């Protein structure tokens, strides 16, 4: 499986996950953690260099081990790698998920009528489209059940709850800093 994903894509994906985790776990307020903590830039650079060097080392080890194999073992290894590549062939997977058929099978799909030389094919819907459609039906059923059958919170109720919470925060602010508030600010807050 490792050989099916290019090294540059693996390193990039892992590095982006590391960046995302640092942004998630390091509290930096409204700014990015990389900007707030300049040392983090150095740490991320070291992590990137480590990922690249790990890829190079693993590739060198695989290459060295392959060269030490006998000719028969090399052929068996190459056949096994080819079989793995066939199993995870992206073109084959995309053809399956898009529901397309090769042009050689197009005659089997033709319907009896045509218009101005344009022939209609009896294609089925692609599986990704069908699964997306089924997922939207399930989501719509759950949404309707939650908000209309089980009386979920409506937008109006959510607005009223947020306004009540904001009013509580305003009252707390008025108590903590009464000398900072003038008459105009009180009118705006109420």
């Amino acid at each position: 499986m490792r050989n099916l994903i290019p090294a540059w894509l693996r390193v990039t994906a892992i590095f982006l996950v590391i960046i995302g985790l640092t942004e998630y776990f390091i509290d930096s307020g409204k700014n990015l953690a990389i900007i707030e903590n300049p040392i983090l830039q150095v740490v991320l650079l070291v992590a990137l260099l480590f990922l690249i060097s790990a890829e190079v080392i693993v590739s060198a080890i695989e290459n060295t081990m392959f060269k030490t194999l006998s000719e028969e073992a090399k052929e068996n290894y190459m056949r096994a790698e080819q079989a793995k590549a066939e199993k995870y062939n992206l073109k084959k997977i995309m053809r399956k998920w898009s529901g397309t058929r090769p042009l050689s099978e197009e005659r089997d799909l033709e319907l009896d009528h045509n218009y101005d030389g344009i022939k209609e094919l009896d294609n089925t819907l692609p599986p990704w489209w069908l699964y997306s459609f089924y997922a939207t039906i399930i989501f719509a059923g759950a949404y309707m059940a939650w908000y209309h059958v089980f009386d979920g919170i409506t937008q109006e109720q959510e607005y009223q709850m947020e306004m009540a919470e904001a009013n509580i925060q305003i009252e707390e602010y008025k108590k903590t800093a009464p000398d900072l508030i003038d008459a105009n600010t009180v009118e705006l807050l109420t």
Side-chain angles (χ1 to χ4, degrees):
M1 185 71 169
R2 181 183 171 280
N3 293 334
L4 300 176
I5 302 171
W8 65 269
L9 191 59
R10 270 194 311 270
V11 169
T12 304
I14 293 171
F15 186 65
L16 289 176
V17 167
I18 291 171
I19 289 175
L21 289 173
T22 58
E23 289 295 332
Y24 181 74
F25 286 114
I26 297 175
D27 185 26
S28 58
K30 293 183 180 181
N31 292 333
L32 295 173
I34 296 173
I35 295 171
E36 288 292 320
N37 305 316
I39 193 72
L40 186 59
Q41 296 172 0
V42 175
V43 171
L44 288 174
L45 180 64
V46 169
L48 179 62
L49 292 175
F50 176 76
L51 288 172
I52 292 170
S53 63
E55 281 292 331
V56 169
I57 290 169
V58 169
S59 178
I61 290 172
E62 283 181 352
N63 191 18
T64 304
M65 290 177 67
F66 181 75
K67 287 182 181 180
T68 60
L69 295 174
S70 66
E71 290 301 319
E72 184 180 330
K74 285 181 183 179
E75 289 177 17
N76 289 339
Y77 179 77
M78 292 305 288
R79 256 189 263 118
E81 288 296 316
Q82 185 67 26
K84 242 194 282 184
E86 295 268 333
K87 182 180 179 184
Y88 296 108
N89 187 352
L90 290 179
K91 287 182 182 178
K92 189 176 174 182
I93 293 170
M94 287 302 294
R95 186 177 297 124
K96 181 179 177 183
W97 273 89
S98 65
T100 59
R101 294 188 181 167
L103 288 175
S104 60
E105 296 180 15
E106 190 172 292
R107 293 264 183 234
D108 300 336
L109 298 173
E110 287 182 9
L111 295 176
D112 292 335
H113 48 76
N114 65 29
Y115 183 75
D116 286 342
I118 300 172
K119 297 176 184 176
E120 183 180 355
L121 300 179
D122 187 21
N123 286 327
T124 58
L125 290 172
W128 67 266
W129 196 95
L130 282 174
Y131 297 145
S132 300
F133 180 66
Y134 296 148
T136 57
I137 291 172
I138 292 169
F139 176 79
Y143 184 88
M144 189 176 81
W146 177 258
Y147 286 105
H148 297 288
V149 176
F150 298 118
D151 292 329
I153 298 173
T154 64
Q155 289 180 348
E156 180 68 28
Q157 292 169 337
E158 188 174 348
Y159 173 76
Q160 294 300 332
M161 288 174 18
E162 288 180 8
M163 290 305 293
E165 186 178 316
N167 285 334
I168 291 170
Q169 289 176 355
I170 289 172
E171 291 302 320
E172 288 177 8
Y173 179 74
K174 286 179 184 178
K175 291 176 185 175
T176 58
D179 54 335
L180 298 176
I181 301 175
D182 60 356
N184 293 333
T185 308
V186 171
E187 288 180 19
L188 290 174
L189 293 175
T190 56

